[in-house]
C-alpha cells in the first residue's frame, strides 16, 4: 500500500475535517484495518494525567507516563507492542498532535508508535524541582535516548520536525546503533554555539526575529504573557498556506501551559546565541556536535514547498548523510508542520526509510 499515491486527495479532506476530528476516530479506522489496541504498560509505566485544557489527553487516549532520566515523560503509544519501534518527535511551538494522523497510519502497518511530549510540553515534568530547566539540543537528544532506555527499546526509527528533527539528527549522529532509520524535516539541523556566532545575511537574520526577541528580558516576559498568541503567529508564519482552524490550534496550544515551557524555550534560543550556558554533563557531546558530524544511518529528508520557517536548502546538507539517502519535496502548499499538514507523505517516508 503506497500512502503517497493518494496523499493529495486525503490531505485536502483531512484539512477540512481536522478541527473536529480526533485521534480516537483515526484509531477506530486503524482498528478496522485489523490493528489491535496498544498493549498494557509494563510496571515502569503508568497513566499520565491529561494535558491542561485537553480532557483525556486531547485525543491521544490514554496517555502513558514513564520515568526517563531527569524527566517523567508523558507519551502516546499506538500499535502492537512487539512491532518495530518508531519514535515521533515534535517541535516548537507544537506538540504530539502534529502526529495525530501519522501515528495511526503507521500503527496500521504494524509499527509500535511512540509520541512523547518533549521537556517543557504537556504533562512531561522534571522529576526534581532542582533540575536545570535546560533547553540545549544535546539535552533533548539525551532525553530521547533515556526514553528509549526506559521502555527497553534498543533501536527505533526516529522521525521529527523542527526541534524534533534536530533531536533525531543528533541521536542518529552520536548513537547510530540506536537509530534504525531517520526521517528529518528540513534535513541536517545539527548546530553549535560556535556556528551560532557567525552572522547571517540580513534577510536570513530577519527570519530569526524571535530568537533575538527571546534574548531580552522583555522577550521572555512577552512570551510568558502571550505564549498562546505568539504560538499562533509562529504557526501562521511557518505554514502560510495551511488553513488550520481554531480547534486544531487550541488542541496543541494547551501543551504550552507546562510550568517549565517558557524556561526551556528561552534557554534553547539563548544557548544557540551563546547567551546562556549549558550543563557540564553535556560538554563532551557538544564538542562532538561542534564538528558537524556526518550521519550514516538510512535517511529520508523532507521539505514542504511552502515552509515559511528558517531552513537550509537541501543542497547545503545532502553530503552530511553518508548512508542510504533520499530527499523529497512535498508539494501542495505544505509548510513547516509537515507531519500534520501532509500526514500520508510523512508516514510513507517512515515506511520507506525502513526499506533503505
Amino acid at each position: 500500500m503506497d500512502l503517497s499515491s493518494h496523499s493529495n486527495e486525503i490531505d485536502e479532506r483531512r484539512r477540512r475535517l481536522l478541527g473536529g476530528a480526533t485521534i480516537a476516530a483515526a484509531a477506530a479506522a486503524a482498528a478496522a484495518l485489523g490493528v489491535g489496541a496498544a498493549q498494557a504498560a509494563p510496571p515502569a509505566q503508568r497513566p499520565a494525567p491529561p494535558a491542561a485544557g485537553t480532557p483525556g489527553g486531547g485525543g491521544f487516549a490514554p496517555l502513558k507516563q514513564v520515568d526517563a532520566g531527569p524527566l517523567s515523560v508523558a507519551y502516546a503509544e499506538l500499535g502492537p507492542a512487539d512491532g518495530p519501534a518508531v519514535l515521533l518527535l515534535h517541535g516548537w511551538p507544537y506538540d504530539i498532535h502534529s502526529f495525530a494522523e501519522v501515528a495511526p497510519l503507521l500503527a496500521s502497518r504494524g509499527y509500535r508508535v511512540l509520541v512523547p511530549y518533549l521537556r517543557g510540553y504537556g504533562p512531561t515534568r522534571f522529576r526534581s524541582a532542582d533540575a536545570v530547566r535546560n533547553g540545549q539540543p544535546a539535552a533533548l537528544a539525551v532525553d530521547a535516548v533515556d526514553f528509549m532506555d526506559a521502555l527497553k527499546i534498543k533501536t527505533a526509527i526516529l522521525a521529527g520536525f523542527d526541534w524534533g528533527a534536530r533531536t533525531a539528527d543528533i541521536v542518529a549522529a552520536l548513537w547510530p546503533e540506536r537509530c534504525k532509520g531517520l526521517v528529518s524535516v528540513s534535513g541536517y539541523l545539527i548546530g553549535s554555539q560556535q556556528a551560532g556566532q557567525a552572522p547571517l545575511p540580513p534577510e536570513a537574520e530577519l527570519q530569526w526575529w524571535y530568537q533575538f526577541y527571546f534574548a531580552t528580558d522583555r522577550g521572555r516576559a512577552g512570551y510568558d504573557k502571550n505564549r498562546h498568541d505568539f504560538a499562533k503567529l509562529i504557526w501562521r508564519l511557518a505554514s502560510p498556506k495551511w488553513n488550520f482552524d481554531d480547534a486544531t490550534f487550541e488542541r496543541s496550544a494547551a501543551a504550552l501551559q507546562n510550568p517549565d515551557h517558557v524556561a526551556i524555550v528561552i534557554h534553547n534560543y539563548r544557548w544557540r546565541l551563546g547567551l546562556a550556558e549549558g550543563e557540564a554533563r553535556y560538554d563532551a557531546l557538544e564538542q562532538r556536535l561542534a564538528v558537524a558530524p556526518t550521519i550514516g544511518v538510512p535517511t529520508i529528508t523532507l521539505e514542504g514547498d511552502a515552509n515559511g520557517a528558517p531552513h537550509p536548502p537541501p543542497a547545503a546538507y545532502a553530503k552530511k548523510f553518508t548512508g542510504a539517502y533520499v530527499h523529497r519535496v512535498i508539494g501542495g502548499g505544505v509548510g513547516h508542520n509537515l507531519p500534520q499538514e501532509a500526514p500520508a507523505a510523512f508516514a510513507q517516508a517512515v515506511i520507506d526509510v525502513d526499506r533503505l
Side-chain angles (χ1 to χ4, degrees):
M1 172 179 146
D2 187 345
L3 297 172
S4 297
S5 63
H6 301 290
S7 61
N8 289 339
E9 177 184 351
I10 292 172
D11 292 343
E12 182 62 28
R13 185 170 69 253
R14 283 177 177 151
R15 285 170 184 160
R16 293 196 301 267
L17 298 176
L18 188 56
T22 65
I23 196 66
L33 294 173
V35 181
Q39 300 299 308
Q45 300 164 250
R46 57 189 180 278
T54 54
F60 279 111
L63 292 179
K64 298 179 180 179
Q65 197 105 10
V66 65
D67 291 343
L71 301 174
S72 176
V73 179
Y75 67 101
E77 180 172 355
L78 286 77
D82 59 351
V86 176
L87 185 58
L88 302 177
L89 300 169
H90 69 82
W92 170 84
Y94 306 92
D95 82 329
I96 65 173
H97 291 97
S98 290
F99 304 103
E101 294 184 75
V102 171
L105 287 172
L106 293 174
S108 73
R109 297 299 296 268
Y111 289 97
R112 180 188 182 189
V113 185
L114 303 154
V115 196
Y117 280 99
L118 303 184
R119 56 170 61 193
Y121 294 81
T124 289
R125 296 289 187 271
F126 284 90
R127 297 169 62 191
S128 170
D130 298 326
V132 178
R133 272 45 178 177
N134 181 355
Q136 73 184 103
L140 273 76
V142 172
D143 288 347
V145 175
D146 286 342
F147 178 69
M148 292 174 65
D149 287 345
L151 298 182
K152 302 187 185 311
I153 296 172
K154 292 183 178 180
T155 184
I157 296 172
L158 273 65
F161 73 105
D162 195 83
W163 286 23
R166 180 174 293 106
T167 299
D169 286 351
I170 293 173
V171 174
L174 299 186
W175 299 280
E177 71 281 1
R178 307 301 298 271
C179 185
K180 184 180 181 183
L182 171 67
V183 175
S184 178
V185 176
S186 297
Y188 186 91
L189 298 177
I190 295 175
S192 66
Q193 286 187 322
Q194 294 92 324
Q197 300 307 306
L200 301 173
E203 186 173 349
E205 296 282 21
L206 178 62
Q207 290 185 298
W208 288 105
W209 63 271
Y210 53 86
Q211 181 171 251
F212 301 111
Y213 180 62
F214 289 161
T216 68
D217 290 340
R218 175 178 174 172
R220 180 189 179 108
Y223 184 60
D224 192 10
K225 180 179 180 180
N226 303 301
R227 69 182 84 173
H228 178 279
D229 291 345
F230 199 103
K232 182 174 278 192
L233 174 62
I234 294 295
W235 278 40
R236 288 172 174 161
L237 294 175
S239 300
K241 296 185 178 181
W242 181 31
N243 295 318
F244 60 88
D245 59 23
D246 287 342
T248 299
F249 174 75
E250 296 296 341
R251 184 175 62 173
S252 290
L256 310 185
Q257 297 306 311
N258 181 295
D260 301 312
H261 177 74
V262 172
I264 294 295
V265 171
I266 297 301
H267 185 266
N268 178 282
Y269 287 105
R270 290 185 180 181
W271 181 91
R272 296 192 203 185
L273 293 176
L275 301 177
E277 294 184 358
E279 291 180 82
R281 60 185 291 201
Y282 302 114
D283 286 351
L285 298 179
E286 294 295 355
Q287 290 174 8
R288 294 171 63 188
L289 296 172
V291 301
T294 58
I295 294 174
V297 305
T299 299
I300 294 178
T301 57
L302 302 173
E303 191 59 81
D305 66 340
N307 186 0
H311 61 279
Y317 57 70
K319 292 183 179 179
K320 302 305 293 185
F321 300 99
T322 59
Y325 174 63
V326 175
H327 178 73
R328 296 174 180 170
V329 176
I330 310 303
V334 174
H336 189 59
N337 186 1
L338 195 150
Q340 194 163 3
E341 298 176 61
F346 191 90
Q348 189 66 50
V350 173
I351 293 167
D352 290 344
V353 83
D354 199 15
R355 303 167 179 162
L356 289 182

